[in-house]
Amino acid sequence: MSKNSDPILTIVEQLKNQNLSEYSNQIKETEFWKKLIPLKLKKFEKTGDFEFEFEVDDSISLGPTGYIVRDFKAEGTISVIDKGLQGSKGNLWEVKITITQPQAHVFARVRGRDVDNYLKIGIFVMDIQFDNSLLDGFGRDGILFAIRVKLRDLLQKAAKN
């Protein structure tokens, strides 16, 4: 994957009365990530400066009607690289999520910057690979839909805080 490739999923939100410095100071803490992960966690532990282990046990909606729901149990790691301020584009973090059971890999870029009285957040999923058994044979579109719904819900909740 080249650095200039287009994201396969983009979510951009504006969080009123939030600011980048508040989030930048907390990003290495487990409590920060526990609030951000849009799934029910059985375990979430810090294993390095910017590395975490997790276990998830949740149900995920795979369709716009909410009737297609699958149980999702997984364990894996999250690794974050803080790329720092990128000029007018704001701060950039590269996030790698590796799920070991079932096997999956997600690479995303997260950008944040202050604009007036809100924080503009962009989440760009650049790559996703997964075992077909991940969600009972639902393909890439179902998984991308589930990711979009969960992340939008998470960002809307963050905007209310």
Side-chain angles (χ1 to χ4, degrees):
M1 181 185 72
S2 73
K3 285 194 167 199
N4 295 325
S5 63
D6 292 331
I8 57 175
L9 178 68
T10 299
I11 298 169
V12 178
E13 293 287 330
Q14 297 175 358
L15 308 179
K16 288 186 178 183
N17 301 317
Q18 304 288 325
N19 63 62
L20 182 60
S21 64
E22 179 180 325
Y23 289 98
S24 295
N25 292 332
Q26 300 174 21
I27 198 163
K28 292 184 181 183
E29 305 303 322
T30 57
E31 291 306 313
F32 172 83
W33 286 95
K34 284 181 182 180
K35 292 177 200 173
L36 287 181
I37 295 174
L39 299 167
K40 295 177 187 168
L41 295 167
K42 289 176 64 176
K43 169 186 163 185
F44 193 83
E45 297 174 356
K46 188 173 183 173
T47 57
D49 196 31
F50 259 133
E51 294 184 6
F52 306 89
E53 285 184 355
F54 65 88
E55 285 183 40
V56 171
D57 187 357
D58 202 353
S59 295
I60 297 177
S61 175
L62 295 173
T65 61
Y67 291 116
I68 303 171
V69 177
R70 293 291 183 261
D71 290 331
F72 180 64
K73 295 181 181 185
E75 56 187 67
T77 61
I78 297 174
S79 176
V80 181
I81 298 171
D82 186 347
K83 296 288 195 169
L85 287 174
Q86 307 284 306
S88 64
K89 292 183 177 183
N91 209 87
L92 172 65
W93 295 273
E94 291 183 345
V95 181
K96 295 178 185 177
I97 302 168
T98 303
I99 300 174
T100 55
Q101 192 64 19
Q103 289 191 349
H105 170 80
V106 178
F107 173 69
R109 291 189 174 115
V110 178
R111 288 196 179 276
R113 68 181 172 113
D114 292 322
V115 179
D116 297 325
N117 67 339
Y118 63 87
L119 173 63
K120 186 173 183 179
I121 291 285
I123 301 171
F124 309 92
V125 176
M126 305 304 291
D127 185 38
I128 185 168
Q129 299 171 16
F130 57 89
D131 183 305
N132 285 335
S133 68
L134 185 67
L135 293 172
D136 290 336
F138 275 84
R140 178 178 159 122
D141 289 343
I143 290 174
L144 290 175
F145 177 83
I147 291 170
R148 179 182 300 278
V149 167
K150 287 287 190 176
L151 288 175
R152 284 220 183 267
D153 182 48
L154 165 75
L155 290 172
Q156 289 171 2
K157 286 179 184 174
K160 291 178 184 176
N161 292 335

